[in-house]
Amino acid sequence: MGKVLILYHSATGNTAKMAQLVAEGAESISGIEVRLRDVDAATAEDVYWSDGLAVGSPTNMGILSWKMKRFWDEVMCEHWMKVDGKIACAFSSSGGWGGGTELACQSILTVLMNFGFLVFGVTDYAAKMMTLHYGAVVAREPRSDDVQAACRTLGRRLAEWVAVYVDHRHDEHPLQKTRMGAG
């Protein structure tokens, strides 16, 4: 059974709401176990437990939050080179559009790549004009149907990749599935 960890930091609750939606998407793939962890409660063992990891952070001056960065700098530093090959993606919320959410996702992905994670973006449209090339992004709270769909799509895609590459369930490969409208 593949295991997906949704690791997040949320200053205002918006990123926590995104994390819950990402978890819902991951849970939509049968045979995937999902664990949600706030960064303050997370341990290195949570990361070891996971096969796939979605990392969410509020956007802080166009990059990931200091709490999320501290987790990787302090908690995970001694585990560098020991988590290579796990699958990962990113999501972020900001105070408003143009606040740097895609840059924050890229900064999360950069940290994950430095730890040897295999990172991905999503080419599917989650909704009309809503893509996830760098991860799921939102300005403020994820209220709209489009943004909620984007978060769920990200979680579902992470779980699909875990099912394919960890559980060898090739029927879950996104290109093997019939697409009906949004991905």
Side-chain angles (χ1 to χ4, degrees):
M1 172 182 264
K3 298 177 287 286
V4 168
L5 173 64
I6 315 298
L7 175 68
Y8 67 93
H9 168 227
S10 188
T12 63
N14 294 336
T15 310
K17 290 175 184 171
M18 291 180 78
Q20 183 59 50
L21 293 163
V22 172
E24 288 175 16
E27 290 167 342
S28 73
I29 302 300
S30 66
I32 298 294
E33 185 178 349
V34 178
R35 181 183 290 179
L36 266 136
R37 284 289 185 271
D38 183 285
V39 73
D40 290 330
T43 66
E45 289 72 33
D46 289 317
V47 177
Y48 279 112
W49 170 86
S50 70
D51 300 308
L53 176 66
V55 177
S57 170
T59 300
N60 186 343
M61 296 185 206
I63 60 173
L64 72 164
S65 71
W66 68 271
K67 278 192 174 186
M68 186 57 74
K69 180 73 165 64
R70 184 180 70 188
F71 175 81
W72 294 98
D73 286 345
E74 295 177 3
V75 174
M76 290 304 298
C77 185
E78 66 186 68
H79 304 281
W80 187 69
M81 295 182 65
K82 297 175 185 171
V83 292
D84 288 37
K86 293 178 183 281
I87 304 163
C89 59
F91 59 98
S92 185
S93 63
S94 65
W97 291 115
T101 49
E102 287 185 334
L103 293 172
C105 284
Q106 287 180 326
S107 70
I108 293 167
L109 297 174
T110 298
V111 169
L112 293 168
M113 285 187 285
N114 274 273
F115 275 86
F117 285 86
L118 306 173
V119 301
F120 69 91
V122 180
T123 57
D124 303 26
Y125 279 83
K128 185 177 182 179
M129 299 184 66
M130 178 68 70
T131 63
L132 314 166
H133 299 313
Y134 308 104
V137 298
V138 65
R140 302 192 181 263
E141 185 177 345
R143 289 187 184 128
S144 75
D145 291 342
D146 291 355
V147 170
Q148 290 179 10
C151 293
R152 288 185 187 105
T153 298
L154 184 70
R156 187 188 76 239
R157 182 54 48 86
L158 175 59
E160 288 170 341
W161 288 134
V162 167
V164 169
Y165 290 110
V166 175
D167 296 338
H168 308 291
R169 293 170 43 204
H170 299 287
D171 59 311
E172 290 295 347
H173 193 291
L175 294 179
Q176 298 298 322
K177 294 182 172 189
T178 303
R179 300 258 186 247
M180 307 264 324

